[in-house]
Amino acid sequence: MSRPIPPHESAHLHVTGGAPYVDDLPELAGTLHCALGLSPHAHARITALDFEAVRAAPGVRAVLTAADIPGLNDCGAVLHDEPILAAGEVHYLGQPVFAVVADTREQARHAARHAAADYAPLPAVLDPLEARRQQSWVLPPLKLACGDAGAALADAPLQLAGRARVGAQEHFYLEGQIAYAWPTEDGDLHLHSSTQHPTEMQHAVATMLGVTSNRVRVEVRRMGGGFGGKESQSAVFACIAALAAHRLQRPVKLRPDRDDDMLVTGKRHAVHYDWAAGFGADGLLHGVRIDMVLDAGWSADLSGPVATRAVCHVDNAYYLPAADISACCARTNRQSSTAFRGFGGPQGAFAIEHILDDIAYATGLDPLDVRKRNFYAAQAGTGRDTTPYGQPVADNVIHALVAQLEEDSDYRARRANIAAFNAGSPVIRKGLALTPVKFGISFNLSHLNQAGALVHVYTDGSVLVNHGGTEMGQGLNTKVAQVVAHTLGVPLARIRCTATDTGKVANTSATAASSGSDLNGKAAEAAARR
């Protein structure tokens, strides 16, 4: 008999409103509130900033600029190319320029509007294709090739070429960006941040303040969603709240309004595609050429690994005998594009799915038949089981899986019914698609595929677990608790997970790349065994 599935460890708190998020935490005595002053230009030099009216506004305690940062004015995830507060020049509409600290959030937001700022506008590039024409990148272009794509395209019985585009996408996590920081003894700092990467927040804050990491403690009990938008881009809010708390020696909370949140933070990378494909009348691919231009925004952020994953997911579930795949991360005067669920994988897979649909239309074949014909081989050693980047596709179940889905969904009959409906309906049309996905989990940068856990066993038989992953609604704490209960051979009710805390588990990777359960679960298992 199967066991009942345990509920999410915080389900009873979620449904009763008892689960505290950062903004629900009781505020310490003397807590101040912060608001951001944002750039009104996509690209401009800052020629003058006058905060006299801001400082005279009710409740204002301080106005902070880049000059107030004692350490490094940078929160770039990979490169040191992203100032926390703009210094001398702004690069996108909504870039933080200054911060106002006041007794209440409303006073801080109101006062920020009174700043007198002069800007000298500069040319702004908003089109990634124009950035490519100018050879303006945030990182060098990438290229992946296998076989002789040029010859394959030239020799193929049929050829097609085209252009496509996918747009940006807002994460729209239910809980917006937020950080709450307060000074502790001897110059240390405690930070509650809605972030997927506590260690990166610890490092960014410590570097900004010019102190060692052991003086900054970051705690994350739960997030109201992240989807990648709180992997790197929570840093600017964490750093500004921490800076204000450090300067004023008071607790400071920074919670931007949703519109400011959306102005400041980046989206999923929009991508432009130019492609060419060579194929036979049976729909079988002979070769492809795909050129991707990603809108990276104004700084590198995580565009490099996103582009790498996009390039490595162009094949999706299909064997490409010859491929020429390139990607460039174009620098534009927009928010820095960032991590988003799939992390470039959806943008890469979209390209080949678009191409196969066009091949189906050109040959008159059913789109599913074209896909099935191009699947990686079910058996190894056939010569059609290796990706463009040289990895053999093992344990390939796509053929059997799609065959079962095709039968269970009554795909053929439904396609016939849709065709009959569309033939008699000049306005309203119906469609049907069955789309496979091959997705690589974990980080392309292999040393990030690590985790840590701390397991305490008390004399009453209860167990307390802390691990480096963050809970954002996906049930990670529940899964880790199940692993520990199974490993120790005790009931799940005896296990309790605490907040993610850099003071307990250090040097963590981000909870991302579909690997949080695997990495942190195995770390907790190892700790429980020990």
Side-chain angles (χ1 to χ4, degrees), residues 38 55 60 68 92 116 194 224 250 263 283 316 327 333 361 374 449 496 528 530:
L38 307 180
R55 293 189 175 96
V60 172
D68 294 299
Y92 72 96
S194 185
R250 294 272 294 274
L263 273 174
N316 198 21
N333 293 110
Y361 301 145
N374 285 285
N449 297 314
R496 186 163 185 81
R530 189 170 300 175

Side-chain angles (χ1 to χ4, degrees), residues 449-470:
N449 297 314
Q450 56 84 31
L454 176 65
V455 175
H456 288 311
V457 180
Y458 295 98
T459 55
D460 65 356
S462 64
V463 180
L464 191 66
V465 180
N466 189 268
H467 59 86
T470 54

